[in-house]
């Protein structure tokens, strides 16, 4: 009776919980201060220390209050009349037609965008891919050629069915829209089976089906959407599947007031259906890993980074994870075969050298242009790649493409390709003497992805449109009237303005970090695995993003929030 009474009391956090939140408060402090680097440069040391202290104390207080309230929300709900009678969360028996229902709802909500902007939106990158499909341009892996091959199959099928390039683009866009509806429908079905409360399920459905961002992204013919679908499935499989056991169960240790208690939970209902399911999971995870690596240039970084964490975790919990390791090796072998012999046999051109050198180039140019210490020999090495007397006119600390294109036109990037080791040593030597300039360059080139205080207007609607193209593909409104199109335009512009008032790209990272803080607070370390692919995705942006604030680059994290929250803020019973 005493234990039961203690369970329904709201207790102050324990010492361990107070300490575990300190590094997360430090992250928010550093991110906030560096995100306002220009303001910090104009203030004195004392003022900046005061600002940092305020950010740290405020962040820490918010973390403690939120974690305490959310972890004991069952106790709080008992004191709220209209929440007191809510039924307990229990796993539900899923029916196949419910998955079709969720998928149909998403697809139905995306159709107005498809019909209004038929056959979809083409960017300049997509135009180049279509030129490769039609044989007007040599094949290139600048944009993942595997995605170009997928586009080729669907675009060609659409052309044959309709007899027009517009029909080809429309068929690809519809298939992409269907895939995204199926993936989002799967996660809604997954939340339903886990016993998510009706209110949360409705909010998740509204997020995926009604939020205009998701509808707009499904009709954009770039590589980002298919990659996002694979990334979400890969992250979910990383957390839900344990390839080395036929029955997956874990012991979840959770802080409960003043005492710890252990709750044994099944991760996945399918894992209880025998060894056959184990090999099915192995095949699914293998396929997701291969697709992840082939659909974006940073996919291999995400996969290897996740494996680097996953394998030690499995080893710590039991013996060496043979199946997991074999799966990772199998994916790597397929990736290397594809990048080497397969692309070579298809005569696919690799990306040029400067494409993958965003950060080293920005570091060196910032040191050279912003008062760093460089020798004449080092400046001469830079001058061999790009004219140093002119590069200042093109340098942009937030947008690398301007300098990149200038190097392609007026410089000689082949010098780097022929002298990789010498230019690596140049970057290292200059960095050791000019760490401040390197830090400034890194902050400005990546701040949009992690600095909530960074205000950059996001063109979540106006950035995507039908560009001029040589194929004669134009927007052909279907079913809707011209007045409907004007009303849709006003609606999307209003939504874009609202989005920029209440959300910023860096807030995605801040929310993710709070999820990690909460898991640490309640001792649910095993659930951190769902976050690892997204942490690696952000890490790849810190290493190589060409734009400091590009929504589609981090769209995968945004689209994952209902799934991440489903793992992070699960009820105590573990359903």
């Amino acid at each position: 009776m005493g234990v039961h009474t203690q369970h329904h009391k709201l207790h102050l956090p324990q010492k361990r919980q107070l300490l575990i939140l300190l590094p997360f408060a430090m992250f928010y402090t550093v991110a906030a201060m560096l995100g306002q680097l220009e303001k910090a440069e104009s203030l004195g040391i004392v003022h900046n220390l005061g600002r940092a202290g305020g950010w740290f104390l405020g962040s820490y207080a918010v973390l403690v209050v939120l974690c305490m309230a959310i972890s004991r929300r069952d106790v709080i709900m008992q004191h709220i009349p209209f929440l007191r009678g809510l039924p307990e969360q229990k796993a539900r028996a899923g029916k196949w037609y419910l998955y079709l229902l969720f998928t149909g709802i998403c697809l139905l909500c995306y159709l107005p965008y498809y019909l209004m902007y038929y056959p979809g939106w083409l960017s300049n990158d997509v135009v180049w891919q279509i030129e490769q499909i039609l044989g007007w341009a040599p094949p290139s892996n600048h944009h993942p050629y595997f995605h170009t091959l997928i586009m080729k199959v669907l675009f060609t099928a659409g052309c044959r069915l309709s007899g027009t390039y517009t029909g080809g683009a429309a068929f690809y866009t519809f298939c992409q829209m269907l895939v995204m509806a199926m993936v989002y429908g799967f996660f809604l079905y997954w939340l339903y089976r886990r016993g998510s409360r009706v209110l949360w399920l409705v909010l998740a459905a509204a997020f995926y089906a009604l939020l205009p961002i998701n509808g707009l992204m499904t009709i954009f013919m770039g590589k980002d959407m298919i990659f996002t679908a694979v990334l979400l499935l890969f992250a979910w499989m990383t957390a839900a599947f344990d390839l080395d056991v036929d029955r997956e169960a874990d012991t979840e240790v959770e802080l409960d007031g003043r005492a710890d208690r252990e709750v044994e939970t099944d991760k996945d209902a399918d894992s209880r259906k025998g060894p056959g399911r184990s090999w099915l999971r192995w095949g699914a995870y293998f396929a997701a890993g291969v697709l992840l690596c082939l659909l974006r240039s940073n996919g291999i970084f995400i996969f290897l980074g996740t494996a680097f964490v996953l394998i030690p975790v499995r080893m710590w919990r039991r013996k060496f994870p043979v199946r997991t390791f074999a799966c990772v090796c199998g994916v790597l072998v397929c990736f290397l075969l594809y990048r080497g012999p397969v692309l070579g046999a298809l005569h696919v051109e690799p990306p040029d050298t400067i494409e993958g050198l965003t950060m080293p180039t920005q570091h060196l140019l910032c040191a050279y242009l912003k008062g760093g210490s460089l020798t004449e020999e080092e400046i001469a090495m830079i001058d061999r790649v790009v004219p140093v007397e002119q590069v200042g006119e093109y340098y942009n600390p937030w947008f690398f493409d301007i300098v990149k294109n200038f190097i392609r036109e007026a410089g000689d990037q082949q010098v780097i390709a022929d002298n990789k080791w010498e230019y690596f040593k140049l970057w290292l030597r200059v960095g050791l003497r000019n760490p401040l300039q390197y830090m400034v360059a890194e902050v400005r080139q990546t701040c949009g992805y992690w600095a909530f205080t960074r205000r950059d207007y996001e063109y979540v609607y106006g950035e995507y449109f039908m560009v001029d193209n040589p194929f004669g593909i134009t927007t052909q409104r279907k079913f809707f009237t011209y007045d409907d199109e004007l009303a849709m335009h006003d609606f999307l512009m209003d939504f874009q303005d609202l989005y920029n008032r209440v959300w910023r790209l860096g807030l995605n990272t801040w929310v993710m970090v709070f999820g990690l803080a909460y898991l640490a607070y309640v001792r649910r370390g095993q659930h951190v695995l769902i976050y690892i692919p997204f942490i690696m995705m952000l890490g790849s942006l810190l290493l190589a993003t060409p734009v400091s604030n590009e929504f589609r680059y981090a769209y995968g994290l945004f689209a994952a929030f209902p799934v991440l929250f489903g793992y992070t803020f699960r009820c105590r019973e573990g359903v």
Side-chain angles (χ1 to χ4, degrees):
M1 183 69 178
V3 175
H4 181 75
T5 303
Q6 291 293 327
H7 174 63
H8 290 283
K9 288 185 178 181
L10 189 64
H11 301 287
L12 293 176
Q14 294 185 351
K15 182 179 179 180
R16 181 201 69 84
Q17 294 175 303
L18 294 175
L19 292 176
I20 203 69
L21 295 179
L22 290 175
F24 296 98
M26 182 59 67
F27 164 81
Y28 289 125
T29 302
V30 173
M33 295 294 292
L34 291 180
Q36 296 178 320
L37 190 60
E38 290 78 9
K39 180 177 180 179
E41 290 176 340
S42 65
L43 301 174
I45 295 178
V46 175
H47 195 166
N48 279 319
L49 289 175
R51 292 174 61 232
W55 267 107
F56 181 79
L57 294 176
S59 301
Y60 184 69
V62 170
L63 283 173
V64 171
V65 171
L66 287 180
C67 288
M68 182 175 65
I70 295 175
S71 65
R72 303 301 294 160
R73 60 189 179 277
D74 55 344
V75 177
I76 297 174
M77 290 169 60
Q78 293 301 316
H79 295 82
I80 302 176
F82 64 90
L83 295 179
R84 186 181 304 161
L86 288 178
E88 293 184 357
Q89 294 177 255
K90 295 181 180 179
R92 304 181 179 98
K95 302 295 183 180
W96 63 269
Y97 57 81
L98 292 176
Y99 166 66
L100 295 182
L101 176 63
F102 288 128
T103 299
I105 290 173
C106 291
L107 186 61
L108 186 64
C109 291
Y110 301 154
L111 277 176
Y113 302 104
Y114 177 71
L115 296 173
M116 185 71 74
Y117 301 108
Y118 180 94
W121 286 340
L122 274 70
S123 66
N124 290 319
D125 293 342
V126 176
V127 170
W128 185 16
Q129 288 180 279
I130 296 178
E131 288 177 342
Q132 296 174 51
I133 291 171
L134 298 176
W136 298 4
S140 171
N141 202 38
H142 179 91
H143 300 292
Y145 191 65
F146 189 79
H147 176 258
T148 303
L149 291 176
I150 295 175
M151 183 182 291
K152 181 176 182 178
V153 172
L154 299 176
F155 183 85
T156 302
C159 288
R160 290 176 178 175
L161 289 172
S162 65
T164 64
Y165 292 146
T166 298
F171 187 72
Y172 172 84
T173 304
F174 181 81
C175 290
Q176 175 178 271
M177 186 170 59
L178 178 61
V179 167
M180 298 311 301
M182 292 173 66
V183 171
Y184 293 151
F186 168 78
F187 285 115
L188 292 173
Y189 178 67
W190 172 75
L191 288 171
Y192 171 84
R193 290 193 61 183
R194 285 170 66 86
S196 299
R197 298 187 189 278
V198 174
L199 177 60
W200 174 243
L201 195 60
V202 169
L203 290 176
F207 178 90
Y208 282 133
L210 298 180
L211 198 64
I213 290 178
N214 295 320
L216 293 172
M217 290 296 287
T218 61
I219 66 171
F220 177 62
M221 291 182 61
K223 56 186 177 289
D224 306 284
M225 288 307 292
I226 302 299
F227 174 78
T228 295
V230 173
L231 176 63
L232 294 181
L233 291 172
F234 175 77
W236 174 77
M237 291 178 191
T238 298
F241 294 174
D242 190 338
L243 306 182
D244 289 273
V245 294
D246 294 326
R247 175 185 174 92
E248 297 184 26
D250 67 295
T251 300
E252 177 182 322
V253 182
E254 181 177 309
L255 192 66
D256 181 18
R258 295 177 182 172
D260 293 347
R261 61 192 185 107
E262 295 184 354
V263 181
E264 186 174 323
T265 64
D266 287 329
K267 284 185 177 180
D268 183 18
D270 289 339
S271 65
R272 300 189 296 269
K273 298 182 179 180
R277 289 285 180 173
S278 175
W279 287 105
L280 180 62
R281 293 193 304 273
W282 193 97
Y285 194 68
F286 173 81
V290 171
L291 290 174
L292 184 75
C293 294
L294 300 186
L295 283 170
R296 273 202 87 111
S297 56
N298 63 338
I300 184 63
F301 179 90
I302 297 172
F303 179 79
L304 288 178
T306 303
F308 183 78
V309 175
L310 181 62
I311 292 177
V313 168
R314 299 290 190 231
M315 290 177 63
W316 179 71
R317 295 179 62 185
R318 64 178 71 86
K319 63 182 181 180
F320 186 79
V322 177
R323 292 184 190 175
T324 301
F325 182 76
C327 183
V328 170
C329 292
V331 171
L332 289 179
V333 168
C334 290
F335 173 76
L336 293 175
L337 289 175
Y338 171 80
R339 288 295 295 267
V342 173
L343 291 184
L346 295 173
H347 305 290
V348 178
E349 298 176 354
D352 58 4
T353 302
I354 200 62
E355 179 66 25
L357 296 177
T358 296
M359 292 308 170
T361 306
Q362 291 290 72
H363 293 160
L364 286 169
L365 291 181
C366 183
Y368 170 69
L369 296 170
K370 304 301 179 181
S373 172
L374 282 80
T375 66
E376 292 184 3
E377 180 184 358
E378 290 167 343
I379 295 174
M381 288 185 67
I382 297 175
D383 188 62
R384 292 175 61 193
V385 177
V386 59
V388 292
E389 294 182 356
Q390 303 175 50
V391 72
E393 302 174 16
Y394 298 89
Y395 173 73
N396 186 313
W398 297 278
F399 187 55
F400 179 61
D401 282 358
I402 301 176
V403 167
K404 179 172 63 178
N405 291 330
F406 177 61
I407 293 174
R408 286 170 176 160
E409 295 171 3
D412 186 3
Q413 55 181 307
Q414 188 61 36
V415 174
I416 302 177
D418 295 337
N419 301 275
K420 297 183 180 66
W421 179 242
E422 294 301 321
Y423 275 89
F424 172 77
K425 290 191 294 184
L426 168 68
W427 171 79
L428 187 60
R429 288 197 309 269
V430 175
L432 291 175
R433 291 200 307 273
N434 303 277
L436 179 60
Q437 281 79 7
Y438 273 36
M439 185 200 73
V440 170
E442 183 73 25
V443 166
R444 288 174 173 165
Q445 185 63 41
T446 64
C447 57
Y449 301 103
W450 48 264
F452 168 59
T453 51
R454 180 76 187 178
R455 282 190 172 274
D456 282 321
Y457 195 81
E458 273 300 324
Y459 293 93
V460 295
Y461 162 58
E463 183 175 298
Y464 306 105
F465 51 86
M466 177 70 71
V467 299
D468 295 332
N469 59 85
F471 321 115
I473 301 176
T474 58
T475 301
Q476 301 175 11
R477 184 180 59 253
K478 302 292 183 181
F479 183 75
F480 292 100
T481 66
Y482 178 71
D483 289 339
D484 293 332
E485 183 178 354
L486 293 178
M488 176 70 83
H489 172 80
D490 292 340
F491 165 72
L492 292 176
M493 290 302 296
D494 290 342
F495 168 76
Q496 181 169 280
D497 292 338
L498 175 63
Y499 173 89
N500 281 282
R501 285 197 294 269
V502 303
W503 201 265
R504 300 171 209 169
L505 189 58
L507 190 55
N508 294 339
T509 302
W510 282 40
V511 171
M512 184 189 74
V513 171
F514 172 71
L516 293 170
Y518 180 79
L519 290 176
Y521 182 89
V522 297
R523 288 187 179 178
R524 287 178 178 165
Q526 72 275 17
H527 291 174
V528 172
L529 288 176
I530 189 71
Y531 284 88
I532 300 303
F534 302 103
I535 294 173
M536 296 303 162
M537 182 193 72
L538 290 172
S540 69
L541 293 176
L542 298 182
L543 292 173
T545 177
V547 187
S548 68
N549 194 50
E550 181 70 20
F551 175 78
R552 62 189 178 92
Y553 289 168
Y555 175 67
L557 175 58
F558 181 82
F561 278 147
V563 184
L564 296 179
F565 293 166
Y567 268 98
T568 305
F569 306 115
R570 67 190 300 184
C571 65
R572 275 199 173 80
E573 287 72 19
V575 296

